[in-house]
Amino acid sequence: MLMLENWTEYTRFLVALFVILDPFAAVPIFLALTKTYTKNERGQVANIAAITVLVVLVVTSLTGESLLHGMGTSLASFRVGGGIVLLLMALAMLNGQTGAVRTTPEEEAEAEDRSAIAVVPLAIPLMAGPGSISSVIIQMHRGSGEYHALLVIACIFIVCILLWLVLRMATTIGRALGQIGLNIINRLFGLILAAIAVEIMTNGLKELFPVLSS
């Protein structure tokens, strides 16, 4: 039973991280920024974006504890703050928007004339942004030991593979689902993300104010 609960925790994190990254929300932006690119060039952008997200999230998960200690911030406070960021993202997704927490119109416009659009704004901050970074730091602190860290990194790796697949198939997905279909998926992900955000904030508040647990 204990092993089942442990695996359930990691599968929940895997699903939550995929929802937070929400690669389907990146599909329209990806297609718009690469509209003059060849198929091979789009593939290269997808490769670099997925690798960038992987590196950022893995490094953040491994250095998050030191970062929090350096800032003098408790994990409980970080849970509440991270939950608020996720909730803002969820509300934007429910309204069919990307949300300024992910990326701003100015960043997207500037990226149109840059060759590194795979890194900015696609990877950072559209996907590897405040929401996903908060999520991996919080998850890493939910356990201890090398086994736990390896499983968290494995979940990040799996999600980045799924992200890569979605970006590689962006043209096909965009054509098959259309803007309406993509909006429906994003709103569904937004609803799931809102529930995740509330749970994270609740756990943080209980740690900050133990009286709430009773």
Side-chain angles (χ1 to χ4, degrees), residues 79-111:
R79 287 181 187 273
V80 176
I84 293 174
V85 170
L86 294 179
L87 184 59
L88 291 175
M89 291 172 56
L91 294 176
M93 292 164 67
L94 288 171
N95 288 325
Q97 302 171 354
T98 303
V101 173
R102 289 180 181 270
T103 181
T104 64
E106 290 78 10
E107 289 172 330
E108 294 174 17
E110 182 181 355

Side-chain angles (χ1 to χ4, degrees), residues 39-51:
K39 182 178 180 180
N40 289 336
E41 289 173 337
R42 279 183 172 173
Q44 291 177 356
V45 170
N47 295 343
I48 296 173
I51 293 174

Side-chain angles (χ1 to χ4, degrees), residues 112-129:
E112 291 180 359
D113 297 325
R114 296 171 58 181
S115 59
I117 62 170
V119 178
V120 179
L122 286 176
I124 306 169
L126 184 60
M127 290 176 286

Side-chain angles (χ1 to χ4, degrees), residues 24 27-28 31 170-186:
F24 293 101
V27 168
L31 293 176
T171 303
T172 302
I173 293 174
R175 186 184 303 115
L177 296 179
Q179 189 60 50
I180 295 178
L182 291 172
N183 285 341
I184 291 174
I185 293 178
N186 288 333

Side-chain angles (χ1 to χ4, degrees), residues 7 28 32 58 62 99 102 112 117 119 123 127 130 135 148 159 162 195:
W7 279 111
V58 169
L62 295 176
R102 289 180 181 270
E112 291 180 359
I117 62 170
V119 178
M127 290 176 286
S135 179
H148 170 72
V159 170
L162 296 176

